[in-house]
Amino acid sequence: MRTVNVPLGNRSYAIRIGSGLLAQLGRECARLKLGERCAIITDTNVGRRYAKPAYESLLKAGFDPSLITVPAGETAKSLKSVSHCYDQLASIGW
């Protein structure tokens, strides 16, 4: 596993890069003592490969994940996509 530190003062964080890390997502989030409700926001390309393992890892660790998918590509980087995400979150009671 490789770790890349992002130096942002008091907002600094580490990015972990390596094989098999997605299966540890739920355990790592639990270690951080995050709230049990969470959302996975992904695009159609990335979601096809990674959404299910991320969802299952979070579920296994006791989280209540919701999946929100936006279209892939630059056109999805818009206020319309942000609005879609907010609408989806509102529909599940956030």
Side-chain angles (χ1 to χ4, degrees), residues 4-89:
V4 176
N5 292 308
V6 180
L8 297 173
N10 65 349
R11 297 180 304 127
S12 297
Y13 59 94
I15 299 172
R16 296 184 182 130
I17 304 166
S19 179
L21 292 177
L22 196 55
Q24 299 174 27
L25 176 64
R27 184 174 58 226
E28 285 297 310
C29 290
R31 184 181 63 77
L32 295 170
K33 300 186 186 314
L34 302 172
E36 72 177 42
R37 293 177 69 192
C38 60
I40 300 165
I41 301 176
T42 186
D43 72 27
T44 52
N45 289 340
V46 174
R48 224 176 270 126
R49 182 165 183 180
Y50 299 108
K52 185 176 180 181
Y55 186 92
E56 289 174 353
S57 179
L58 289 164
L59 199 60
K60 184 178 176 182
F63 288 91
D64 179 18
S66 297
L67 178 62
I68 299 171
T69 305
V70 297
E74 291 298 312
T75 58
K77 297 177 183 176
S78 67
L79 291 177
K80 181 178 178 181
S81 288
V82 172
S83 176
H84 168 75
C85 292
Y86 279 129
D87 289 344
Q88 293 298 308
L89 291 168

